[in-house]
Amino acid sequence: RSNYKYMYDKFVRMKFGMRKISLIKYSDIREFYNYLINDLSFRPNSLEIIHSLLHPTFTLAVRDGYIRCNPSDGLKGDIKKSHCWEKPQRHALTEAEQAAFVQFVSTSPIYSHWMPLFTFLLGTGCRIGETIGLRWNDCDFENNEIFINHNVIYRFRDYDGWRFRLTTPKTNAGNRVVPMLSEVREALLQERENQKRFKLKSPTIDGYSNFVFLNREQNLHNPMTINRAIKRIIRDHNRDEVKLAEKEKREPLLIRDFSVHNLRHTFCTRFCENETNLKVVLAEDSEMLDEVVVVGYGTQKKGNLTGAIASIKSDEILTTTHSSLAQNLQGKVAGLQIRQQSGEPGSFDNMISIRGFGTPLYVIDGIPRDGSGEFQRLNPTDIESISILKDASAAIYGLNAANGVILVTT
């Protein structure tokens, strides 16, 4: 939450926050996104945060009747295409990479002081904010348990600059108890011994003190500093490994570039590789399971569906009034994107797509139709339900359904 607030205050508030929402157009937001990318060197993850702030805001404005369509619909996909963006895939270290990394750090006179921190990250799967915010009060050495109930972030605010700040987990699931493995226990005890030996005193942050991981300046570790240390470790390891491999006449085992967050992925990967009895708990939404949804080959209970299908009933369609059925659906169906092409009265020229692909196939009462004109002219009061088939569920209609299917039952 703090990160979203920081990004809004820093980049959005003065650009869009002071403008009337009804005057903001698609081209305005696209120009803003291009400015963030070209002038401020935004990467995909950062732009995703900005988009996740703006898009739901405009969606709410559509539902409240302040604007007729969401000007940010389809924009994220367009930006990705125009900038040839692929969201970077985070990877886990292989077993060989992890062993080489641990061996190098633990035996290095330069980097060995980082070993307790890396052991904790690899042995718990905790996020970096949870790790640097860990206190001795959260460690139960008697029962070998670690209590995770807060994060520490490093953020800038106009009135007090860069500071460590305490935050709570995004969801209740973030509050949890993590088993303390023997390696983690040993690393924590080693860190506590180091604090005693060097007489380190913990700082106080938002009323919290007694932190576990401290640097030489008796402050918390900055995540950016940790990532810089990892880069230096990889650089030095790979340099030494190339020389050793050449001497031993073998292929070098090089460690790929990674950030501290990849250690969380590495923990999860090692866990899945060694634990065959995984248990997954699903929460039932009993309210929706008996809802009947129209699909290409009849009807099914929503609880039995395995494909990506969205459905909307007549009473939901009629919550807004518009001459065009497409505008009545604006913001009500996940994955259905509607963009108004013309403001001319009586015009039914809306661009409709499913998940940003091309024109879908329209099937009205079992009969395929050409184009969206007939669909948009339907009287909403005559409609019983509309189903959107988004994936392989549409395969029954053949090649014409490559962009999805909109099924209408009157």
Side-chain angles (χ1 to χ4, degrees), residues 354-373:
I354 298 173
R355 292 176 171 172
F357 294 104
T359 303
L361 174 67
Y362 297 88
V363 179
I364 302 174
D365 289 332
I367 301 174
R369 307 286 182 168
D370 293 328
S372 66

Side-chain angles (χ1 to χ4, degrees), residues 263-277:
L263 299 181
R264 178 171 163 83
H265 291 271
T266 302
F267 165 81
C268 295
T269 301
R270 295 293 94 79
F271 178 80
C272 292
E273 288 171 349
N274 291 282
E275 177 56 66
T276 57
N277 185 25

Side-chain angles (χ1 to χ4, degrees), residues 97-258:
E97 286 176 318
Q98 181 179 342
F101 178 79
V102 169
Q103 174 69 16
F104 182 79
V105 175
S106 61
T107 58
S108 168
I110 302 174
Y111 302 115
S112 58
H113 65 280
W114 288 105
M115 200 58 222
L117 176 67
F118 292 143
T119 300
F120 182 87
L121 289 164
L122 286 166
T124 62
C126 285
R127 299 175 177 87
I128 187 58
E130 296 166 341
T131 300
I132 63 177
L134 186 73
R135 303 172 303 153
W136 293 113
N137 319 47
D138 304 318
C139 302
D140 182 353
F141 289 98
E142 185 176 339
N143 297 305
N144 289 324
E145 293 178 334
I146 302 168
F147 300 93
I148 304 297
N149 50 42
H150 61 276
N151 305 287
V152 168
I153 59 173
Y154 190 64
R155 285 284 177 268
F156 178 85
R157 289 193 299 212
D158 291 334
Y159 56 87
D160 62 355
W162 288 95
R163 293 282 188 277
F164 285 105
R165 312 180 196 285
L166 199 82
T167 65
T168 54
K170 292 180 180 179
T171 64
N172 289 332
N175 294 313
R176 62 197 188 280
V177 179
V178 178
M180 186 188 296
L181 303 179
S182 58
E183 297 88 348
V184 173
R185 178 188 174 90
E186 184 178 336
L188 290 172
L189 293 175
Q190 180 185 342
E191 187 68 17
R192 188 161 66 178
E193 187 61 33
N194 290 340
Q195 287 191 17
K196 290 179 181 178
R197 188 194 326 156
F198 296 110
K199 299 180 180 179
L200 300 179
K201 293 183 179 179
S202 171
T204 299
I205 299 172
D206 295 338
Y208 279 57
S209 60
N210 205 23
F211 292 100
V212 171
F213 296 107
L214 304 178
N215 59 23
R216 288 171 294 182
E217 286 75 34
Q218 304 185 82
N219 206 345
L220 303 190
H221 290 290
N222 184 328
M224 291 178 284
T225 302
I226 299 172
N227 279 325
R228 285 196 292 268
I230 290 175
K231 286 189 177 297
R232 292 195 301 271
I233 291 168
I234 295 172
R235 179 200 64 195
D236 292 353
H237 167 273
N238 289 348
R239 179 197 60 206
D240 294 351
E241 173 64 11
V242 167
K243 293 179 181 178
L244 183 61
E246 186 177 349
K247 183 178 179 180
E248 297 177 351
K249 297 181 180 180
R250 60 173 175 82
E251 284 296 317
L253 173 57
L254 302 181
I255 302 175
R256 294 169 293 170
D257 284 335
F258 68 90

Side-chain angles (χ1 to χ4, degrees), residues 316-336:
E316 297 175 79
I317 299 172
L318 296 175
T319 54
T320 54
T321 304
H322 198 281
S323 59
S324 170
L325 173 60
Q327 291 300 317
N328 281 347
L329 296 174
Q330 181 74 50
K332 297 178 181 177
V333 182
L336 186 65

